[in-house]
Amino acid sequence: MSEDTLFSKIIRREIPADIVYEDELCLAFRDIAPQAPTHILVIPKKPIPALSEAQEADKALLGHLLLAVGEIAQQQKLDTGYRVVINTGEDGGQTVFHLHMHLLGGRSLSWPPG
Ligand code: AMP
């Protein structure tokens, strides 16, 4: 059993979030400190701590998350493009240890990231 994080509390509606999408496997809500005009976090309801800890059994869930991100990008009308980021571990800049995908869009994004 992994540690409870604030994202688990958002899933349980114990702390508020601006939720933009939900289905049986995942939840999406606006990042509290947006780095782009559209900045949404897409998380599995299953508390996988990080991408590096995903298992073979999570294969379908990971595919589901990617398809959900694409659907949310369409809903948000990110027609000219967007970026999906999974920060993983300390060097990856991960701060919340519940797997999440950042969906960033609404402006031209530079590369490489910092
Ligand atoms: P990461 O650094 O990849 O682990 O991303 C964690 C993200 O969660 C950051 O972009 C934070 O701004 C965001 N965040 C932290 N607390 C909240 C919250 N209560 N509601 C929405 N987003 C949050």
Side-chain angles (χ1 to χ4, degrees):
M1 184 68 190
S2 66
E3 210 178 303
D4 204 30
T5 67
L6 70 98
F7 289 177
S8 292
K9 293 184 172 69
I10 288 175
I11 292 168
R12 296 196 300 265
R13 308 304 203 263
E14 290 170 9
I15 61 173
D18 185 356
I19 293 169
V20 298
Y21 175 91
E22 181 171 22
D23 64 29
E24 71 282 11
L25 295 176
C26 69
L27 186 72
F29 50 91
R30 292 192 190 280
D31 196 293
I32 205 165
Q35 302 301 311
T38 300
H39 186 173
I40 290 167
L41 301 174
V42 184
I43 69 172
K45 290 185 174 173
K46 177 180 176 182
I48 300 167
L51 184 62
S52 53
E53 296 191 41
Q55 307 288 317
E56 182 71 20
D58 299 317
K59 195 187 270 187
L61 175 59
L62 295 175
H64 181 91
L65 287 170
L66 278 175
L67 290 175
V69 170
E71 197 175 310
I72 295 161
Q74 266 193 329
Q75 284 176 3
Q76 297 291 322
K77 305 200 184 323
L78 300 177
D79 303 329
T80 53
Y82 53 87
R83 185 170 295 164
V84 180
V85 174
I86 306 176
N87 295 328
T88 304
E90 191 184 342
D91 278 358
Q94 185 174 7
T95 59
V96 178
F97 288 85
H98 181 126
L99 175 64
H100 51 281
M101 300 187 184
H102 295 257
L103 170 60
L104 297 147
R107 68 172 169 85
S108 182
L109 298 160
S110 59
W111 189 264

